[in-house]
Amino acid sequence: MAEESSGVLEQCLTVLRSAKSDNEHFAALLLVTKAVKAEDCSTETRHKIFEAVGYRFINRLLKTGSTPQGCPEHIYKSLAVAVLACFCTDPEMVVHQEMITKVPDFGQIVCFQPESPEDVTTRSMVDDCYDCLFALMTTPTGRSQMIDSNTVSKLCETYWSRHHGYCRALELVVALCSQCGKLIWKNNMDKWHRLVETLAQEFKENKDDGKFELCEKITVVLLSAMKENVQVGPWSSVVYHELSSILQSKLGKSQREPALKLSSAMVDVIGVSWALSDPQNHKFLLLLVHLTCIEVRMMLEDQEYEQIVDQSSLLSSCYSLLENTIHYMTVGPSMALDDRQILQLHSAMVGAFNAVIYFLDTVSKNPVVLPSPVIYASVRVLGSWLAEETTALRDEVYSILPYLLRVGHQSFKEKKELTQTTNSGGNKSPEPVITNSVEVLRFLLPGLCHFSAEEKSRKILIENEGHLLLGQYFSHSWASFSERKNREAEVAMTTMCGIFLNLTVLEVALVTTHQVFRELLAFIIATLPTLALDKSNLVLTANFVVLGTMLIRQQATHLETPQGEVSLFFSAVVKFLRHAHCKQVVENGTVTLHISKVYEDFWEQISELWFLGMQAFSACLPLFPWLSRNILSSGWIPELVDILRLVSVNTADTETVTSFRQLLTELVKQYPTIKQLVIECGGYDLAIKSGMADLENNMKR
């Protein structure tokens, strides 16, 4: 029978190859479609049909508007799509350039609506189009073309218009959301909003298990959104009320998990404020966090590693919800919880993070288990917790701190390799590279900053060469920041400056001798003069000023940097300290001291650093006799004297005035040339009138 079918096919192909007109092509092609079915076609047979038909003829079939009298309206298109659907089952043919260029046609055809139940031709054509699109969706090039040709819009329109095959349209959109993320909504956020509104309404109306299938679909669509362009509409309230009802009901595992995932996605896209939609009742958020904490404990305390990996999607959603809640509780508006609710919330989170620590401790002792996305995600969420809470579970965290550093090092290594591959052109895909290990170390930094101030954890950090790892990550972050103005890299560097500052103050012997700190100082000395030129870098500049002056004081006796570079560094330090304040005359003639306009927006972040910088700079004065030349040439001395003459502690912040007085006193004490200038500016009279005994005594010498 197979031989007979093969013989018939060969005869049809012979007729097809010898066809002289489109009519003959058409007749022969009809014979082929009857002689063989796509699922029975071997790769060799498909290639034979492909060569015999040729894309030119298929293109003409797709573009032809008129049809023979008595034939269905779309008979030519239907035949062309049927052939293409056959070709799409072949992995080699589906990526053929001619197949890729048909995506816009497929997008148009899926919008066709059969005129009647008897319109078999149109239904079959649309079904074949979906077969082609699903096949193309499995390839990067096909997905890229579907995005570029605006096929997503057509699929969305098909879905909410309930055209034939609309369920498959939604499946395609969800699959594209999962694979390509926000790329598919680049110019289509209006379609995203309309689709979410439609899905939310279905979610409300559905009363069977399909409700939980919709949970999963809505979750994927939500997480693909361009968050900055999301407009909260009625759909968010609909989802809130439905999930609130669901989560207060008795649920099985298959119902609870999709509901938690959707809740997490809503919080991720809209914010924790969504879970507080009812301002008079915070029970939903409390319930959500409690259920999430219980879920985390159930997964991490009661299951083997392989089972946890299998549930990584749910675990990731739970972690995301916890992370967003912690962030909201620390920087968001007050949640107006009473003491009992706060205690319950904290207790639930402590339980969840104890489970995270237990899981990490367990895998750390298993040499077979290597760092994986699940482990990276666990370290990341723990880092978010440790950024705000280091007292609870302190000893437990100490026990896994070496492992956290190892995982952080591994994630950093993978990030560097990925960056090098991308920069060298190794990634040719039109889609973004998705990795779960990119920023794990960054999330550990705030917690490490706390730990570097505590003796026990600081010793663990040093024993495990955490300072060496941070030195490497600092260089990497600088490269990212300087090349692309990456603000996440800037935040990471400012946090690392805090860690290095703690080590500089508390581990003097290490800082004086270890190469990491010598290289760090050399880097800051070389970088600060240029960094300080851009006022948008003021926070990072402040950190470099303080850390640099602290380090240079510790390493002054064996400093290898040329004096010229050190001189430029100190000039940048003086510039930063000098320009932070300005005088202002008010209506009654009183002179007040104000924060300079350039510094105003950043002052909350850098005010403490400014005071530390003033102290550290003063401490450097005895170590560098030539520094007087930099200070004199800056013109700062007359300004300092003038400020202290005109501004009293009644018209300026006491701490600021005291800081200026102490600096001026140290300058007079260390440098005769500056002492002479201060006297010439009326500094002696100022000292007497202001009761600045130390300054007066130093000028008498």
Side-chain angles (χ1 to χ4, degrees):
M1 188 71 180
E3 291 180 4
E4 180 182 341
S5 177
S6 177
V8 172
L9 175 62
E10 285 299 328
Q11 291 177 9
C12 293
L13 291 177
T14 300
V15 174
L16 193 56
R17 293 187 190 102
S18 60
K20 297 289 190 297
S21 66
D22 282 351
N23 285 338
E24 291 179 6
H25 263 107
F26 181 63
L29 192 53
L30 282 174
L31 290 174
V32 171
T33 58
K34 291 179 180 179
V36 63
K37 294 181 178 179
E39 59 269 21
D40 298 330
C41 248
S42 65
T43 300
E44 182 182 0
T45 301
R46 289 193 190 93
H47 280 273
K48 285 181 180 179
I49 297 172
F50 169 68
E51 291 168 3
V53 175
Y55 269 111
R56 287 186 179 178
F57 178 62
I58 292 174
N59 288 338
R60 288 199 296 276
L61 287 175
L62 283 171
K63 303 301 180 186
T64 300
S66 59
T67 55
Q69 189 173 1
C71 291
E73 180 184 358
H74 303 301
I75 185 63
Y76 289 147
K77 277 185 171 64
S78 177
L79 181 59
V81 174
V83 174
L84 291 172
C86 174
F87 292 161
C88 275
T89 57
D90 186 283
E92 292 180 17
M93 289 187 175
V94 78
V95 294
H96 192 283
Q97 184 57 34
E98 285 288 349
M99 185 67 74
I100 298 297
T101 60
K102 299 298 177 292
V103 169
D105 296 302
F106 298 147
Q108 294 289 341
I109 292 171
V110 294
C111 293
F112 287 11
Q113 177 71 346
E115 294 179 0
S116 67
E118 289 76 31
D119 189 356
V120 177
T121 302
T122 302
R123 285 206 303 274
S124 176
M125 177 179 62
V126 171
D127 290 339
D128 286 338
C129 264
Y130 279 119
D131 289 341
C132 293
L133 288 172
F134 271 101
L136 286 159
M137 197 272 299
T138 63
T139 70
T141 309
R143 291 192 291 271
S144 180
Q145 180 67 5
M146 290 169 76
I147 294 169
D148 293 341
S149 64
N150 212 24
T151 302
V152 175
S153 290
K154 302 297 183 185
L155 293 169
C156 289
E157 290 167 12
T158 296
Y159 180 70
W160 61 61
S161 298
R162 292 301 191 262
H163 287 169
H164 177 71
Y166 70 92
C167 289
R168 297 187 75 187
L170 180 61
E171 287 179 38
L172 267 173
V173 172
V174 171
L176 283 168
C177 288
S178 177
Q179 290 282 341
C180 306
K182 61 184 179 182
L183 281 177
I184 73 171
W185 307 113
K186 189 174 181 180
N187 299 308
N188 287 314
M189 278 303 289
D190 57 327
K191 298 295 190 294
W192 183 90
H193 284 101
R194 174 84 182 271
L195 178 62
V196 171
E197 287 283 3
T198 304
L199 290 171
Q201 193 58 36
E202 286 183 35
F203 184 51
K204 178 182 178 180
E205 294 169 358
N206 198 306
K207 302 301 179 185
D208 55 26
D209 284 344
K211 194 178 194 75
F212 299 97
E213 292 176 11
L214 276 168
C215 268
E216 296 177 348
K217 290 181 171 67
I218 297 172
T219 298
V220 176
V221 174
L222 280 173
L223 294 176
S224 70
M226 301 174 73
K227 294 182 188 178
E228 63 275 16
N229 295 329
V230 170
Q231 297 174 4
V232 178
W235 60 273
S236 63
S237 297
V238 170
V239 175
Y240 171 85
H241 289 294
E242 291 303 308
L243 284 174
S244 180
S245 175
I246 289 170
L247 292 174
Q248 292 181 64
S249 305
K250 187 175 181 180
L251 301 171
K253 181 181 175 66
S254 62
Q255 299 166 323
R256 184 180 66 253
E257 291 184 5
L260 284 175
K261 286 182 181 180
L262 179 53
S263 299
S264 175
M266 291 294 288
V267 168
D268 190 57
V269 173
I270 299 176
V272 174
S273 57
W274 167 80
L276 298 167
S277 295
D278 183 353
Q280 304 302 319
N281 188 357
H282 298 319
K283 286 184 179 179
F284 177 65
L285 176 63
L286 295 172
L287 173 66
L288 189 55
V289 173
H290 274 81
L291 289 174
T292 300
C293 290
I294 292 169
E295 201 71 35
V296 168
R297 295 186 63 177
M298 284 170 38
M299 282 186 280
L300 298 183
E301 292 177 350
D302 303 331
Q303 299 187 110
E304 297 298 322
Y305 176 74
E306 291 74 15
Q307 294 173 300
I308 295 171
V309 171
D310 289 341
Q311 290 187 284
S312 58
S313 176
L314 174 62
L315 187 62
S316 176
S317 293
C318 291
Y319 283 170
S320 175
L321 183 72
L322 291 177
E323 213 172 285
N324 282 313
T325 303
I326 291 168
H327 179 74
Y328 186 87
M329 290 176 70
T330 52
V331 302
S334 172
M335 294 166 60
L337 301 177
D338 59 39
D339 292 343
R340 183 181 60 83
Q341 290 172 323
I342 292 172
L343 187 61
Q344 288 176 340
L345 199 59
H346 184 266
S347 177
M349 286 194 170
V350 168
F353 284 104
N354 189 46
V356 174
I357 293 170
Y358 170 78
F359 166 67
L360 291 172
D361 184 50
T362 302
V363 296
S364 72
K365 296 171 182 174
N366 188 343
V368 177
V369 177
L370 299 175
S372 64
V374 168
I375 293 173
Y376 288 142
S378 299
V379 172
R380 169 177 163 154
V381 75
L382 181 60
S384 297
W385 168 257
L386 294 175
E388 309 301 337
E389 171 62 275
T390 55
T391 304
L393 306 172
R394 176 180 287 166
D395 291 337
E396 289 84 350
V397 173
Y398 285 174
S399 68
I400 64 165
L401 189 51
Y403 181 66
L404 295 180
L405 291 170
R406 289 206 306 274
V407 173
H409 183 270
Q410 179 64 28
S411 71
F412 169 49
K413 180 181 175 183
E414 291 180 9
K415 168 63 185 277
K416 279 207 306 184
E417 290 172 354
L418 177 64
T419 302
Q420 289 166 359
T421 301
T422 304
N423 291 343
S424 64
N427 174 39
K428 301 296 184 182
S429 170
E431 300 174 33
V433 176
I434 300 172
T435 173
N436 292 284
S437 62
V438 173
E439 296 294 352
V440 169
L441 186 53
R442 178 170 64 87
F443 278 84
L444 283 174
L445 293 178
L448 292 176
C449 193
H450 294 309
F451 291 139
S452 64
E454 300 173 7
E455 185 175 0
K456 184 176 180 179
S457 51
R458 187 171 64 254
K459 296 299 181 187
I460 297 172
L461 181 65
I462 295 169
E463 287 169 4
N464 289 273
E465 297 188 327
H467 53 298
L468 189 60
L469 170 61
L470 292 172
Q472 295 169 353
Y473 189 54
F474 192 90
S475 297
H476 177 80
S477 298
W478 172 258
S480 178
F481 171 74
S482 58
E483 290 170 11
R484 301 183 294 277
K485 280 289 183 181
N486 185 321
R487 290 302 168 185
E488 288 184 348
E490 180 184 11
V491 172
M493 283 190 290
T494 58
T495 309
M496 281 186 277
C497 282
I499 299 172
F500 287 131
L501 191 58
N502 286 336
L503 295 175
T504 301
V505 173
L506 300 169
E507 299 290 339
V508 177
L510 176 72
V511 172
T512 305
T513 58
H514 201 287
Q515 187 64 24
V516 165
F517 295 94
R518 293 182 183 179
E519 292 174 359
L520 181 61
L521 176 58
F523 169 79
I524 292 175
I525 288 173
T527 306
L528 182 63
T530 303
L531 181 71
L533 295 175
D534 188 344
K535 297 306 179 184
S536 67
N537 298 329
L538 204 53
V539 175
L540 194 57
T541 297
N543 279 273
F544 276 28
V545 164
V546 175
L547 181 58
T549 49
M550 290 284 199
L551 284 171
I552 208 168
R553 188 181 65 171
Q554 302 283 23
Q555 300 181 25
T557 56
H558 49 264
L559 196 62
E560 299 174 356
T561 309
Q563 182 177 317
E565 291 184 24
V566 178
S567 177
L568 289 173
F569 164 78
F570 275 118
S571 292
V573 171
V574 169
K575 184 179 179 181
F576 167 76
L577 297 173
R578 174 189 173 192
H579 290 160
H581 297 85
C582 62
K583 295 175 296 182
Q584 184 173 332
V585 181
V586 294
E587 291 181 2
N588 60 3
T590 304
V591 177
T592 59
L593 198 61
H594 287 265
I595 306 302
S596 301
K597 273 194 173 182
V598 174
Y599 285 63
E600 277 180 347
D601 292 340
F602 306 98
W603 193 244
E604 187 176 344
Q605 295 172 266
I606 68 172
S607 59
E608 187 177 343
L609 291 169
W610 184 84
F611 287 110
L612 285 173
M614 290 285 281
Q615 294 173 13
F617 180 62
S618 295
C620 289
L621 298 179
L623 305 175
F624 300 94
W626 50 262
L627 193 50
S628 60
R629 295 195 296 272
N630 296 65
I631 299 166
L632 287 168
S633 63
S634 72
W636 196 15
I637 298 302
E639 284 184 16
L640 272 176
V641 175
D642 199 37
I643 285 173
L644 291 173
R645 180 190 300 112
L646 298 173
V647 177
S648 70
V649 291
N650 297 321
T651 59
D653 175 70
T654 304
E655 190 177 2
T656 303
V657 173
T658 301
S659 186
F660 280 134
R661 287 179 173 182
Q662 289 173 344
L663 175 61
L664 187 60
T665 301
E666 190 65 29
L667 287 166
V668 167
K669 178 181 177 181
Q670 299 299 331
Y671 304 127
T673 52
I674 291 180
K675 172 181 165 182
Q676 183 60 40
L677 179 59
V678 171
I679 293 172
E680 291 173 5
C681 293
Y684 189 75
D685 291 337
L686 168 67
I688 295 172
K689 290 178 180 178
S690 303
M692 298 164 61
D694 287 345
L695 179 60
E696 181 184 350
N697 292 334
N698 278 291
M699 283 192 285
K700 283 180 180 178
R701 291 177 185 174

